[in-house]
Amino acid sequence: MRSDKTKRGVDRAPHRSLMKAMGMIDEEIDRPFVGVVNSWNEFIPGHIHLDKLADAAKYGIRMAGGTPFEFHTMGICDGIAMGHEGMRYSLPSRETIADSVELQVQAHQLDALLFVTSCDKILPGHLMAAARINIPSIFVTGGPMCPGIFNDRQVDLISVFEAVGKFQAGEMTEEELRDLEESACPGIGSCAGLFTANTMGCLTEALGMSLPGCGTSMAIDANKLKIARRSGMQIMKLLKENIKPGDIMTEEAFENAIRVDMAIGGSTNTALHLPAIANECGIKLSLDLFDKLSRDTPHLTSIRPGGPHFMIDLDRAGGIQAVMDRIKDRLNLNCMTVTGKTLHENLWELKILNLEKNREVIRTKENPYHREGGIAVLKGNLAPRGSVVKQSAVDPKIMKHSGPARVFDCEEDANDAILGGRIKKGDVVVIRYEGPKGGPGMREMLQATSAVAGMGLSDSVALITDGRFSGGTRGPCIGHISPEAAEGGPIAIVRDGDIIEIDIPQRKLNLKLSEKEIRERLKRWKKKKKEKMLTGVLKRYSKMVSSADRGAVFE
């Protein structure tokens, strides 16, 4: 055991003395040490209950003969950080979280890890750490929030963001907005739709790193506590059999996760996170692979923000295992999972109890919502190295679009123009200098996209950025444009009035200018000076981070 380095032999008497200062007894010290990595905090509704899940997991570890050691990592709520300077810190936190886990685990030489985690950057950061450290590990994800009820219809956080636009457009009163605010988020869990947090929870299960059913099991459901207990017991089996993340998160497993992502229509942020996790495994995932698998994977669910269903519907329909069963002819079924069994063995044991809900929520390959997967990768003279769009959430009327550019060098200016009614039908809103280096931090811009949707423009106005959009975004919102403006990418030389052509079916994103004009503009381009000097985390991040098409990983 790795932990023997800290507790075995006469020369480790001082170490054991420190453990006994915390009330430990010899019987506990003799057992394997299991780190319980908990991202519980009082900022995020998706995390506020993780203390209870950690307690359940620790019961499971003890029942199976291990000694749990709980420690915590930080977590940022993207919803609260949205639309202001705070969002610059969200994506950089992913690397900080991974580093903090590595520091804690390696310093204390733990034998195995159980991660209790949730939400946008936190869960990817934990998966990166698990891959990097590569000791037996298992994940318990916090689970989705239930939808709220407003005016006899189900609503969620995105409903509130879009309602701000409706209020500005005169379609909703301030009192109605207040009533919606009170009811949209009714309790604990990650926001109720298939936004980034729940997408990553689903893909953790698809990768094989959490027990079947974990990704969609609701935060309020007692089943989540049962999964946590079983996971605590299962980590001891993984330790005994020496099954590590590197044995589970193989190239074939990442392909499975991408296919599941396409089948459920998940967040475009997976095109940042999956490559970053794979990078820690020594695997390179390109944007081209996302697009290749998307073209060959049908979109089977219609979940918010792109459709009428919520995560609770997906869970009751059989969850991610049922989705994988639908597309199993396209999956690598021999992949190992944390059950200690292969994906094929897990699916063989699958039982779907709610058949009517299953047929309604998860369609068959023969009757998909869309023939292709949820994400498309667009390239062209405006995005030579690629960009991403959630095509499953785009109105068919605007899958192809050509319009004049309205250019903004930061999110705030674009938000003011949208909410001020200065964006017209047919416009293409360009938000630049918001990439990983240029932001820095590659801010999510849910406020801008929700304002467009709320003002009734999501079928006539496109948004493009070298930053990124929330998993709650719908409409023709194209992000991750690479290279970014701060690196002298073509998005840096777009001017107001330039015509931008978007063709999602053909995967094209082009600036309607001659090659000569583009070359001349790029020659004249000068790097934008920062309005204020960067310090601390953002200064280091801007110097170390790679481009979005590489997952915004550190170089």
Side-chain angles (χ1 to χ4, degrees), residues 297-318:
T297 307
H299 175 222
L300 304 182
T301 70
S302 188
I303 303 172
R304 290 274 295 164
H309 297 131
F310 291 81
M311 289 301 297
I312 192 170
D313 300 310
L314 179 58
D315 186 53
R316 290 175 176 173

Side-chain angles (χ1 to χ4, degrees), residues 37-66:
V37 189
N38 189 355
S39 57
W40 176 87
N41 62 65
E42 294 183 333
F43 285 101
I44 312 175
H47 287 221
I48 195 69
H49 64 302
L50 297 187
D51 55 338
K52 307 297 189 300
L53 294 183
D55 285 344
K58 287 188 289 186
Y59 279 125
I61 292 168
R62 292 189 181 102
M63 283 191 291

Side-chain angles (χ1 to χ4, degrees), residues 519-532:
R519 283 197 304 269
E520 289 179 353
R521 288 192 190 184
L522 287 172
K523 285 180 182 178
R524 295 194 296 268
W525 174 78
K526 293 182 180 179
K527 192 168 184 177
K528 182 180 172 68
K529 291 184 178 180
K530 290 290 178 186
E531 295 178 1
K532 58 183 180 181

